[in-house]
Amino acid sequence: EVQLVESGGGLVQPGRSLRLSCAASGFTFADYGMHWVRQTPGKGLEWVSGISWKSGNIVYADSVKGRFTISRDNAKNSLYLQMNSLKAEDTAFYYCAKGDYYDIIRSAFDIWGQGTMVTVSS
Amino acid sequence: DIVMTQTPLSLSVTPGQPASISCKSSQSLLHSNGKSYLYWYLQKPGQPPQLLIYEVSNRFSGVPDRFSGSGSGTDFTLKISRVEAEDVGVYYCMQSIQLPRTFGQGTKVEIK
């Protein structure tokens, strides 16, 4: 069974950091691009970042550029999101999503994890 | 960024009746390779989004054939031929022709 399991969410103060992880199983992780997508009640679904199969192509949403870093470890079947300088508006449910192609340029998301909640508040 | 606009934002449907959701994009989703990069997702209560339709009209694995997608260019439609109780949730369209990926606001479908 194809599965993505996120972890690392929680309550964090503004300006602090948090690292999300996503453990993949049931498919050849190294063959696919991967993404992070977040969801807030007010703003709906927002794509955050994507990384191609060998990490050669990495793209961020303008809202997180310079603060978030996406990475992957194909040997560990894992995806990561390092979030620095967190703001209240980063509060959201964060989903790890599998791309349907090795690159991220036009890939969509065919499998989503259950998500992890990040709350940025003092 | 490409703006995706869905209508209606909510829909109340009698079981067994059809339902239709429209999605319009601010730019054409037709690529020079002939593919149109429009996707439909359903987010059931308490669950992550799940892929229903890819590239306008292709049902993802396991999706019932009562779901169908159509359209071209900037105008797209998701149709449910006969709504069932398990179809409740929020439906989103999404474009993947360019980054950043953008989603519609969502259409909440409930059963009468």
Side-chain angles (χ1 to χ4, degrees):
Chain A
E1 179 192 5
V2 177
Q3 196 171 16
L4 299 169
V5 179
E6 301 91 338
S7 60
L11 174 62
V12 61
Q13 293 178 328
R16 303 298 291 266
S17 299
L18 208 58
R19 189 194 196 208
L20 304 184
S21 298
C22 171
S25 60
F27 66 100
T28 305
F29 180 76
D31 285 352
Y32 294 93
M34 295 293 296
H35 301 262
W36 288 98
V37 180
R38 66 187 181 185
Q39 184 171 33
T40 61
K43 293 187 68 178
L45 289 164
E46 180 187 17
W47 173 84
V48 173
S49 181
I51 183 168
S52 61
W53 63 328
K54 294 184 178 181
S55 305
N57 195 3
I58 291 175
V59 186
Y60 299 96
D62 287 346
S63 58
V64 306
K65 200 172 297 181
R67 301 186 298 121
F68 289 14
T69 302
I70 191 172
S71 62
R72 63 189 296 162
D73 185 335
N74 288 343
K76 294 183 178 180
N77 291 338
S78 293
L79 176 72
Y80 306 101
L81 185 67
Q82 177 66 43
M83 305 186 293
N84 298 333
S85 304
L86 282 162
K87 306 175 182 179
E89 50 264 41
D90 295 318
T91 294
F93 216 72
Y94 284 74
Y95 293 104
C96 163
K98 172 185 169 293
D100 58 359
Y101 198 54
Y102 68 91
D103 203 350
I104 60 171
I105 299 303
R106 269 173 290 284
S107 73
F109 322 127
D110 57 5
I111 303 294
W112 299 58
Q114 290 298 313
T116 187
M117 184 68 199
V118 172
T119 303
V120 183
S121 174
S122 54
Chain B
D1 298 359
I2 296 177
V3 176
M4 307 295 289
T5 304
Q6 287 180 233
T7 55
L9 297 184
S10 65
L11 206 48
S12 183
V13 188
T14 301
Q17 293 300 301
S20 179
I21 300 170
S22 171
C23 176
K24 296 183 187 296
S25 57
S26 60
Q27 301 175 34
S28 175
L29 303 186
L30 176 63
H31 191 267
S32 56
N33 63 12
K35 293 182 179 180
S36 289
Y37 289 89
L38 186 281
Y39 293 72
W40 289 98
Y41 293 90
L42 165 59
Q43 186 171 29
K44 296 183 178 182
Q47 296 186 21
Q50 60 188 77
L51 178 61
L52 292 177
I53 302 286
Y54 64 95
E55 294 170 8
V56 180
S57 59
N58 300 285
R59 280 187 299 277
F60 188 56
S61 175
V63 174
D65 61 7
R66 64 179 180 275
F67 291 94
S68 64
S70 62
S72 63
T74 61
D75 290 352
F76 304 91
T77 301
L78 175 70
K79 292 183 178 177
I80 310 173
S81 59
R82 296 172 304 281
V83 173
E84 297 187 5
E86 65 181 23
D87 300 336
V88 298
V90 181
Y91 290 77
Y92 296 93
C93 60
M94 184 198 80
Q95 62 80 19
S96 70
I97 197 169
Q98 69 174 229
L99 291 164
R101 300 286 179 266
T102 48
F103 297 84
Q105 319 94 301
T107 296
K108 186 174 184 178
V109 172
E110 62 178 20
I111 299 295
K112 280 184 182 175

